Each structure stands twice: as C-alpha cells, then as structure tokens.
Amino acid sequence: LSDTTRCFNVTGSGVVIAGGQSGGVIRLANGNGNDWPMIFHTSATDCLAYHIVIDGGEIVGGGAGIAAHSNAKNTLIASCYVRNIFDNPTGGNTDGYHAVANDAAGANNAFVDCWAYRVSDDGFDAWESGQKQFFYFCDSRENARHPTNPSGDGNGFKLGGPVAGPSVAHLLYKCNAQDNKDNGYNHNANEGGIVLHTCTASGNLNGTYSDIVQFVIV
C-alpha cells in the first residue's frame, strides 16, 4: 500500500483503510517528501477510507491530504478530517481533498462527512475530472488561512472542468463553505452547471460563488 513518498499508495481493488472508532491520525513531518499522504489512483476500485485524520505538516511539491485521483473508481472517503497541511514556498499547491483527473473510468467517487480546515490552498478540488464526483455533508473552512505558513487560493470547493472534453456537473449535497480566503464554491473553468443541493456558505472573503451562472442551486 505504501512507497517512499506516500503513507498509503493504493492501486488495488477492495482496499479498506479504517482509522477505528476514534480516528487514525497521520502527522506529516516537514520536509519528509510526502506528496499525497493517502491516494487511491489508476486501477483503484471499490475502495474505502474512513475515520482518517491528516493533521499538520508539509507536503512537498503539493498534492492533497486524501485523494481519489487519476481514474480511481467507486472510491468512498468518509468521515475524514484534513487540517493544517501546506507546501513551500507558495502554499498554492496543497489541497485538503482531491477528486482530480478522473476523466475516463474514474466515476462514482464520493466524499461523505469530510472536513478540510486551514490547508494552504483549496479544501476540495476536482480539476480535470470529466466524470461526475460527489460531495455529501462536507465542510470546508478557513482554507489558505494557515496561521504560520504560506497560503494559496483558498476556495472551499474548487470544481474545475477538464482541459479537454466535456465539462461535467459535480454534485454537492448539504455541504458548507465558511471563512475561506477566496470563494466558497468556485467552478474554475467548469461549464457543466455544478449542482449545489441545500448547500450553505458564509464569511468567504471573495463571496460565495466564482460565477453564479455556472451553478445550479436547488
């Protein structure tokens, strides 16, 4: 499951990573070389991670705390917490969660009851995902507002479209974006009409939406 730069590097099927009732904690040492502490990618299928806490430290070169990436399929990330992670020198490359580069087989990845707090870039990022990604009951707060380290954009949810191919409407249900440095919800070039169902936002420094036209509010 692991290699020299990732705590968990999952490419298999049916893998379950459970933190137990109180939550398993991964703390990153600064300069340790990690790019993704936990990543499900490529041929990862029908996998589950739950009750995992990524708590502080440096991610070298960017990445995210927990990722369903590069055509992971049917991945469920549930009841996880990512907080206080950053990258140097700009802070603009480390997100809480990635649902990124899922453009072919990478469908049906879901993030449920997940929190992103004071990561140095965006809370949740779906850049280049041409397959629909799902976010339920997720909370994204104070991102790009790290108290001691450099900061990047700071969107609660940044749901960008693919560079090539059709844009897709990612689905958010009862999510919250609060006190982030930029927008609560940013479509980031995705013209697929992102669906926000019963979602809330407050205190985001650049407003709730990057462009209200690109969102379907229900």
Side-chain angles (χ1 to χ4, degrees):
L1 295 179
S2 64
D3 64 18
T4 57
T5 63
R6 298 170 181 175
C7 299
F8 294 92
N9 183 56
V10 180
T11 58
S13 62
V15 175
V16 176
I17 303 175
Q21 185 174 0
S22 59
V25 178
I26 300 172
R27 292 188 174 92
L28 304 177
N30 295 348
N32 67 349
N34 280 314
D35 50 6
W36 284 279
M38 182 175 293
I39 181 171
F40 299 84
H41 67 109
T42 313
S43 55
T45 305
D46 301 321
C47 294
L48 168 65
Y50 67 98
H51 285 186
I52 302 297
V53 179
I54 309 295
D55 184 17
E58 180 182 1
I59 294 184
V60 175
I66 301 176
H69 202 288
S70 300
N71 293 327
K73 182 179 180 181
N74 300 336
T75 303
L76 175 60
I77 311 298
S79 299
C80 292
Y81 203 130
V82 178
R83 61 193 179 206
N84 297 324
I85 59 175
F86 68 97
D87 62 277
N88 278 317
T90 65
N93 292 307
T94 293
D95 301 312
Y97 300 84
H98 271 179
V100 168
N102 295 306
D103 199 37
N108 300 322
N109 298 306
F111 299 76
V112 179
D113 184 35
C114 289
W115 284 65
Y117 178 69
R118 282 192 175 178
V119 303
S120 68
D121 199 20
D122 304 302
F124 295 78
D125 196 321
W127 178 246
E128 291 187 341
S129 280
Q131 296 286 344
K132 184 180 291 186
Q133 310 296 301
F134 299 87
F135 306 85
Y136 301 115
F137 306 103
C138 291
D139 201 292
S140 190
R141 302 190 183 203
E142 296 187 31
N143 294 300
R145 302 178 73 177
H146 196 288
T148 59
N149 291 295
S151 295
D153 295 335
N155 296 280
F157 297 83
K158 188 163 70 174
L159 307 178
V163 172
S167 297
V168 64
H170 305 301
L171 176 62
L172 289 77
Y173 179 74
K174 290 193 174 180
C175 292
N176 179 60
Q178 184 172 328
D179 298 327
N180 295 289
K181 179 182 173 184
D182 197 2
N183 298 117
Y185 304 95
N186 191 326
H187 77 291
N188 197 25
N190 187 352
E191 298 180 357
I194 295 161
V195 178
L196 303 181
H197 193 297
T198 327
C199 293
T200 56
S202 64
N204 300 288
L205 298 189
N206 202 28
T208 299
Y209 310 106
S210 56
D211 182 353
I212 187 63
V213 173
Q214 303 302 339
F215 293 88
V216 176
I217 314 300
V218 293

